[in-house]
Amino acid sequence: MVSIIPIPAFADNYIWLLRDRANAVVVDPGDAAPVLDYLVREDLALTGVLATHHHNDHVGGIPALLERYAVPVFGPARESIPGRSRAIAAGDVVCLPGLPVTLTGIDIPGHTAGHIAFFGDVDGQPSLFCGDTLFAAGCGRLFEGTPGEMWKSLSTLADLPAATRVYCGHEYTLANLRFALAVEPDNATLRERARSEQAKRDRGEPTLPTSIGLELATNPFLRVSLPNVKAAVERHAGSSVADDVAVFAALREWKNRF
Ligand code: ZN
Ligand code: FE
């Protein structure tokens, strides 16, 4: 049995840790200290590291982890990742060292130019580790990519099975939901979600993982093809917007200033 544990880091990052009774693999360890604390407390051996993109809040802890554990590091082929031992491109298969889990790389450029995701079954549940690309009710900023690239990347993730559990890199959900409600004030599923996610935070729980199905119903960045989302974007922009990519671009701009 493999479980997936959130390790909070910095102000709002999650380092995801996959574990059985003996071994653990971490995703995006921006900081080594909370990972090492967990491994010691739970008497686990680190057997591998995955990285989705090169930002320091996702890879900054890798060198200190490698000092303690000589393990493989799987990271995006098109980015520089400290200690990377295997370059992962779209379609590459990663057998997690020490755990009965196999994940596949997906190319999702936009937040960074070489950003990847890892997707596969964990204990029979389709699971996605997507760094800073798809967030609960939101998406990452476009630091190195175009709106067209990000829209294509998000569309690729949106096509995964609806039941897919989505493990994002940050706890941004409540702020994202406030924006989502400004875009779609009449979306009943979204309003209900805002209540339930607020309740989780009030209890001190993560809002993650989310699911592809829930994101399709409530994440405005996956809903730019819908007439009501396009109309809200056009009202806000004060002009008509040509196609899905243009709606996405205007929505991302709106969120940047929200
Ligand atoms: Zn990032
Ligand atoms: Fe980040």
Side-chain angles (χ1 to χ4, degrees), residues 94-107:
V94 180
C95 297
L96 296 194
L99 294 176
V101 174
T102 301
L103 303 175
T104 302
I106 306 176
D107 268 341

Side-chain angles (χ1 to χ4, degrees), residues 13 53 55 57-58 111 132 135 169-170 172:
N13 281 75
H53 68 292
H55 285 161
D57 64 312
H58 297 253
H111 177 69
D132 288 357
F135 288 126
H170 291 266
Y172 288 159

